[in-house]
Amino acid sequence: MKNILAASLLITMNVVYSQISNVEKVIDASVKNDNFNGAVLVAQDGKTELLSYKGLSNRHYNINFSDDTKFHIFSLTKSFTAVLIMQLYEKGKINLDAPIATYLPGYKGEAAKKATVRNLLTYSSGRFNKDLSTPEFIHQAYDNTIWNLDDFITTFLSEKLIDKPGTKFNYNNGDYILLGKIIENIYGKSFEEVLKEQILVPLKMNDTGLLHHNDIVQNIDDGYSETGSDPFSLHTPTNTYIDNLYTAGAMYSTPKDLLIFDQAVFNHVLIKKATLDTMLTPYKELGDTAFSFWVYPKSFGNINTLFVERQGEGYGHSANWVHLPEKKLTLIILSNTKDVKYLNKMRERLISAYYGQ
């Protein structure tokens, strides 16, 4: 019996080694051919099978990526915001189908009494997104000055409706900034305090937080963008007032901390299974959008599975978080040289390699 168990264990170890070896080949090719710099984490059932760091976190001082590096995660922030909303929903403090004005009585946008919390969670509020409408407004909103949250909402997020709420997907930051303000109103505290109390401290996510433009955060990565079509020719993008991205994109984290969050979400530590099921229900008419995630079936060769994904990108940084709930596989890719379109392709190659497809 012992020999059978030993043989079975050896076979399992060989399979895992082969899977990870295939993944490492994809990573190495991405580094060699496309100048991928960053981190890749692969975990099965919450156990890390691979955590690989490649390249430079800071090119001014020639600092390599390591376990100490903190990454800008941009729109992965939206998933933290969504979880905090779902905790309130679970406690009966938020009705997903109540209009925005229920929780933001001072909100002056046309969506106030017409768009719901559910619409905000699925980027279907129907609002005109003034903050993203022109390069000029993008610079005003995110690059040129630091905004008080209420002033930001009044100036950029309180415009007319251009679509009937709930009928059209229109990706934006504003819906999630409004959700952040709702969280603050209900708790009577800043979003940052709530984030720490409800998620970061209980999970001991010590290397994750909300960024402010004047923070000194040790070991945080710098972002770089390609110059022209040469992936090895890079420049530093325009700086941003990260504060203005707020509950839609201002967080930083690490691969290890994101795995902790991943497991707490998908193993019902932060929210119950029924709540998670509500959160992950895709709206086909909105492009498979769920609450902060996209959820849809996907195939890798002869492997068919449910695919849950979240992306983030900004100012040279990009992030990709994939969870396959039926396979209990987690993939996290963080980079400071590649855009999210590249990571979308890279994740396909990584998962296919992992499954030997």
Side-chain angles (χ1 to χ4, degrees), residues 171-189:
Y171 186 77
N172 66 88
N173 292 324
D175 286 356
Y176 272 74
I177 292 173
L178 289 171
L179 288 169
K181 182 64 177 177
I182 287 173
I183 290 168
E184 290 193 343
N185 277 11
I186 292 175
Y187 277 99
K189 300 178 180 180

Side-chain angles (χ1 to χ4, degrees), residues 34 224-235 337-339:
D34 304 316
Y224 306 95
S225 293
E226 294 178 11
T227 302
S229 59
D230 182 359
F232 293 88
S233 177
L234 302 171
H235 66 273
T337 57
K338 308 306 297 183
D339 63 19

Side-chain angles (χ1 to χ4, degrees), residues 58 64 103 124 168 192 230 249 288 314:
N58 183 299
N64 291 322
Y103 308 105
S124 61
K168 186 176 179 181
E192 188 168 14
D230 182 359
D288 293 317

Side-chain angles (χ1 to χ4, degrees), residues 23 52 143 303 309:
V23 170
S52 178
D143 300 343
I303 303 293
E309 62 150 310

Side-chain angles (χ1 to χ4, degrees), residues 17-37 39-40 42 50 52 54 300 331 333 338 342-357:
Y17 175 79
S18 176
Q19 290 173 323
I20 296 306
S21 178
N22 290 337
V23 170
E24 287 176 332
K25 290 176 182 176
V26 173
I27 297 171
D28 289 342
S30 298
V31 172
K32 180 180 178 181
N33 299 328
D34 304 316
N35 197 24
F36 170 79
N37 282 234
V40 176
V42 178
L50 171 72
S52 178
K54 298 291 184 180
F300 298 90
L331 172 66
I333 316 172
K338 308 306 297 183
Y342 182 89
L343 295 197
N344 285 347
K345 295 176 182 177
M346 185 178 177
R347 73 187 183 191
E348 303 263 336
R349 297 194 297 269
L350 290 167
I351 296 173
S352 293
Y354 183 81
Y355 286 119
Q357 302 299 304

Side-chain angles (χ1 to χ4, degrees), residues 28-322:
D28 289 342
S30 298
V31 172
K32 180 180 178 181
N33 299 328
D34 304 316
N35 197 24
F36 170 79
N37 282 234
V40 176
L41 182 147
V42 178
Q44 179 64 53
D45 202 11
K47 296 179 177 62
T48 300
E49 294 187 347
L50 171 72
L51 176 52
S52 178
Y53 297 101
K54 298 291 184 180
L56 297 173
S57 166
N58 183 299
R59 291 173 179 269
H60 299 286
Y61 299 102
N62 207 39
I63 300 172
N64 291 322
F65 283 108
S66 71
D67 276 342
D68 295 325
T69 307
K70 299 176 181 70
F71 294 78
H72 294 74
I73 61 171
F74 280 87
S75 285
L76 266 61
T77 302
K78 292 180 173 75
S79 292
F80 288 83
T81 302
V83 167
L84 290 173
I85 289 289
M86 296 310 288
Q87 287 179 334
L88 289 168
Y89 162 74
E90 194 170 271
K91 295 172 184 176
K93 295 184 177 182
I94 274 187
N95 177 350
L96 297 178
D97 296 309
I100 298 170
T102 306
Y103 308 105
L104 297 182
Y107 178 60
K108 302 300 183 183
E110 190 182 347
K113 296 182 179 180
K114 297 179 180 179
T116 65
V117 174
R118 189 185 302 272
N119 298 150
L120 294 176
L121 285 164
T122 54
Y123 315 98
S124 61
S125 65
R127 297 178 308 102
F128 171 63
N129 297 308
K130 180 179 176 181
D131 58 319
L132 301 176
S133 60
T134 68
E136 179 185 1
F137 281 130
I138 290 172
H139 290 311
Q140 286 183 18
Y142 299 110
D143 300 343
N144 292 348
T145 189
I146 177 69
W147 287 89
N148 169 277
L149 177 59
D150 290 333
D151 289 342
F152 187 93
I153 290 173
T154 298
T155 304
F156 296 107
L157 308 183
S158 301
E159 300 297 307
K160 62 183 179 180
L161 288 175
I162 58 173
D163 296 302
K164 181 181 177 181
T167 64
K168 186 176 179 181
F169 170 81
N170 189 6
Y171 186 77
N172 66 88
N173 292 324
D175 286 356
Y176 272 74
I177 292 173
L178 289 171
L179 288 169
K181 182 64 177 177
I182 287 173
I183 290 168
E184 290 193 343
N185 277 11
I186 292 175
Y187 277 99
K189 300 178 180 180
S190 73
F191 175 83
E192 188 168 14
E193 290 178 280
V194 177
L195 175 68
K196 289 177 180 177
E197 292 174 3
Q198 298 298 318
I199 297 179
L200 303 186
V201 172
L203 296 182
K204 298 180 180 179
M205 294 176 64
N206 299 322
D207 294 317
T208 301
L210 191 72
L211 270 173
H212 309 275
H213 71 281
N214 54 356
D215 285 344
I216 297 174
V217 179
Q218 287 189 338
N219 303 309
I220 196 160
D221 69 331
D222 281 346
Y224 306 95
S225 293
E226 294 178 11
T227 302
S229 59
D230 182 359
F232 293 88
S233 177
L234 302 171
H235 66 273
T236 303
T238 305
N239 290 330
T240 176
Y241 281 97
I242 193 72
D243 322 54
N244 297 335
L245 288 162
Y246 200 51
T247 52
M251 287 180 66
Y252 65 88
S253 190
T254 67
K256 289 182 177 181
D257 267 12
L258 287 173
L259 179 60
I260 292 172
F261 184 55
D262 168 276
Q263 291 299 291
V265 170
F266 289 99
N267 290 324
H268 321 126
V269 174
L270 292 172
I271 52 178
K272 297 176 183 177
K273 182 182 183 304
T275 307
L276 178 64
D277 289 345
T278 298
M279 184 175 177
L280 295 182
T281 299
Y283 293 78
K284 297 296 181 183
E285 69 277 16
L286 301 175
D288 293 317
T289 305
F291 297 169
S292 88
F293 294 102
W294 287 267
V295 181
Y296 49 91
K298 193 169 180 63
S299 298
F300 298 90
N302 59 5
I303 303 293
N304 301 307
T305 186
L306 190 66
F307 196 79
V308 180
E309 62 150 310
R310 174 69 254 180
Q311 308 163 15
E313 180 179 44
Y315 300 90
H317 307 274
S318 61
N320 223 295
W321 171 21
V322 173

